[in-house]
Amino acid sequence: MPDDDCILPLKQASKQDFTDESDRLPNLDRLRNRALQAQANSDQASEARAVQGQNWEKTTTSEVDAVASALENTSLEDTEETEDNTLYLQAFAILQPAFDKNILLEGQMRQLIDADDEEPFDFIVSVLLLYRGEQRDTLELIRKSIYEGDSLTQLRAEVMFGDTRFLLHKMRGSAMNLGNELVTEKCAQLRQICVDEDLEALANGPGNFNDLVEASRVSAAHFERLLDFIKINMPESFDSAEE
């Protein structure tokens, strides 16, 4: 899927009250406990994978790339275990460019993908689909708190700095839960601009809203590639998420 197809479009501004919309925003707070639990179990999981010859922590970037390349001409008909192992390696090979550029944090993504041992990829699919919708909605609310009407350039006569800081705090927390390092960084930069109430930086400076939108687009492109891969190879992972 081309990068342009992965851009998360901003919704048109609605006529509903800002506070009412923000109150209904979904969030990923409940994922924090799942991630922490995955971290607590990581030592045992590592030992189990090492016994099975699947020690991800010792798999280097070059090894993942080599496996992903070789898999183009490899049959997946050996065993169910081998197939799952192959799909994991392919999935991480897809995300490797994002890891290398510090767009996404590899350790956090591995924890989320490993969080559901019984149904591979089900948990990460549900998380990414929820995050996609939440990020789109939060970006739109942030835009409306900064700019007039549908504009991305004309600041409001009175920028809603307090509301913007709250939304950025929320968006940053969700990004951190997913290991979305790029968006986490841009949220922090824009929030500081709002703390300083720096209208010049908000309009023209680095770290403004447009930078946050671009960071969201870039990270979303990598998430969409992973979702496309899972949908092709394990479409059943989307069944529970779409119910």
Side-chain angles (χ1 to χ4, degrees):
M1 177 183 292
D3 282 1
D4 290 343
D5 293 338
C6 301
I7 298 175
L8 298 179
L10 297 179
K11 291 182 177 178
Q12 293 296 320
S14 71
K15 296 181 180 179
Q16 293 177 302
D17 179 71
F18 172 86
T19 304
D20 290 340
E21 287 185 286
S22 62
D23 287 343
R24 291 199 302 274
L25 269 181
N27 64 74
L28 296 175
D29 291 342
R30 67 180 183 276
L31 301 180
R32 188 181 302 276
N33 290 335
R34 294 289 298 273
L36 290 174
Q37 181 179 2
Q39 177 63 48
N41 295 332
S42 62
D43 290 340
Q44 294 180 347
S46 296
E47 293 176 4
R49 284 194 293 270
V51 171
Q52 300 170 9
Q54 301 174 24
N55 192 341
W56 300 121
E57 288 74 10
K58 294 182 179 179
T59 302
T60 64
T61 299
S62 60
E63 288 172 336
V64 171
D65 290 341
V67 170
S69 177
L71 287 174
E72 293 181 1
N73 298 315
T74 301
S75 172
L76 300 180
E77 299 177 355
D78 297 326
T79 63
E80 183 177 347
E81 180 179 345
T82 301
E83 181 174 354
D84 287 345
N85 182 37
T86 298
L87 291 175
Y88 274 117
L89 288 175
Q90 287 179 304
F92 286 116
I94 288 170
L95 293 175
Q96 195 63 51
F99 300 151
D100 292 342
K101 297 177 182 178
N102 293 322
I103 296 171
L104 303 177
L105 296 180
E106 183 172 0
Q108 188 74 358
M109 289 301 299
R110 290 187 183 277
Q111 290 176 23
L112 290 170
I113 291 178
D114 286 343
D116 193 340
D117 293 332
E118 296 182 359
E119 301 294 340
F121 297 114
D122 282 18
F123 182 62
I124 190 62
V125 166
S126 64
V127 169
L128 290 179
L129 292 178
L130 177 62
Y131 179 74
R132 181 169 62 185
E134 177 179 337
Q135 180 176 251
R136 181 178 58 241
D137 291 346
T138 307
L139 279 173
E140 174 59 9
L141 289 176
I142 293 172
R143 187 197 64 77
K144 288 164 59 179
S145 70
I146 296 175
Y147 299 102
E148 289 286 356
D150 295 331
S151 173
L152 283 173
T153 56
Q154 184 180 353
L155 298 179
R156 293 171 58 105
E158 294 185 6
V159 175
M160 301 166 68
F161 286 112
D163 291 328
T164 305
R165 289 197 302 271
F166 168 77
L167 290 166
L168 287 167
H169 177 75
K170 182 183 184 67
M171 187 174 184
R172 181 172 179 268
S174 296
M176 289 179 66
N177 285 340
L178 264 182
N180 191 339
E181 183 72 0
L182 183 60
V183 168
T184 299
E185 176 186 344
K186 295 303 178 182
C187 282
Q189 291 177 359
L190 181 52
R191 189 174 186 278
Q192 187 58 50
I193 289 175
C194 292
V195 169
D196 297 337
E197 297 191 3
D198 188 340
L199 293 176
E200 176 62 26
L202 195 60
N204 304 309
N208 64 9
F209 177 73
N210 291 316
D211 281 358
L212 176 58
V213 171
E214 176 62 14
S216 299
R217 185 196 71 81
V218 169
S219 60
H222 292 283
F223 289 143
E224 292 297 329
R225 291 190 187 101
L226 177 61
L227 287 171
D228 286 345
F229 168 79
I230 297 173
K231 194 159 193 174
I232 291 172
N233 292 278
M234 297 192 71
E236 63 273 16
S237 297
F238 284 77
D239 293 343
S240 58
E242 293 174 351
E243 290 179 354

